[in-house]
Amino acid sequence: MAIDNSVESLAKALKSTKHAVVLTGAGISTESGLPDFRSQSGLWKGVDPARVASLTALHRTPIEFYQFYRHRLARLAGAQPNPAHFALAALQRAGIIKVIITQNIDGLHQAAGATDVIECHGNLREAACLDCRVIFPADLLDREVNDLKDVPRCPNCGGTVKPNVILFEEPLPREAFDRAWDEARRSDLFLVVGSSLEVGPVNMLPQVALQGGARLAICNLSSTGIDPLAEWVITEKAGVALPALAGAVGVEI
Ligand code: NAD
Ligand code: ZN
């Protein structure tokens, strides 16, 4: 299949869809100043993610674990949605895009006004108790952790509280992922934005969409393993490509 790089042709196809679905990854938020995982300057450069953002790390090296998350929370506090988030929100408001599935934990789609967002990897707004599973606001985590006695404890049961994000070694939230799967299968056009598609099981969703008969579009700065199956591969910054797409569809941001 020939790869069509034109935003205009994608816009034309989008206008005739009934159930367009978007999947976003960390790349859509780099222009908001939040580093992604796998780019040259990404968050994990020189750090093994499984070492700091895993359940094992939380239990074995909790101080390092909470320091890492405090740093992420602090960065997030100043982050604002960028034109890519606003363009998707506008396309959703206009009914062109039905749902946004995201691997991001930054909440920037909602901050831009998107309403139906499926968060497959949790979010940084909340903290969750590992024992009783009660959810708290994330400010419970917003303090210095200097020794084991400082580790955030659950006000409800005294258990360990962690950010409400999916750590390595944890399963995805069942309800969110089931819905993401259904939406991918129902979609007639599936657009991936800013994801290396290296993290499972979310990276199966484009295939699920294709098997359900969807047309596939990818907007990412680097190539992904599924590019050969896509009808559109747009190698452009999301903050440039998505506003252009919204414009070509005739949707005001
Ligand atoms: P990833 O880092 O593996 O891939 C990001 C991709 O985005 C790369 O292929 C890169 O080329 C591309 N990219 C970077 N800037 C871009 C831009 N401006 N426009 C278009 N493309 C751009 O990210 P992923 O696939 O989402 O990896 C999954 C994991 O990353 C998830 O578990 C997610 O929770 C986590 N994560 C989230 C955030 C966040 O919430 N902002 C930040 C870092 C990591
Ligand atoms: Zn508890």
Side-chain angles (χ1 to χ4, degrees), residues 25-27 29-31 34-39 43 72 103-106 121 194-197 199 219-222 236-238:
S29 295
T30 54
E31 292 165 78
L34 301 174
D36 63 11
F37 274 15
R38 289 175 187 78
S39 291
L43 191 58
R72 287 192 81 179
Q103 302 168 80
N104 295 345
I105 54 182
D106 55 33
H121 289 170
S195 176
S196 63
L197 295 175
V199 178
C219 169
N220 202 56
L221 279 183
S222 53
E236 177 56 270
K237 282 186 175 173

Side-chain angles (χ1 to χ4, degrees), residues 10 13-23 91-92 95-101 183-184 186-191 214-215:
L10 176 57
L14 255 184
K15 280 200 265 189
S16 62
T17 57
K18 290 199 163 52
H19 203 87
V21 172
V22 178
L23 168 66
L91 285 164
Q92 192 177 48
I96 303 280
I97 284 168
K98 298 297 181 241
V99 60
I100 299 168
I101 303 169
E183 292 289 348
R186 281 181 68 186
S187 71
D188 50 5
L189 193 151
F190 195 82
L191 168 63
R215 303 171 81 179

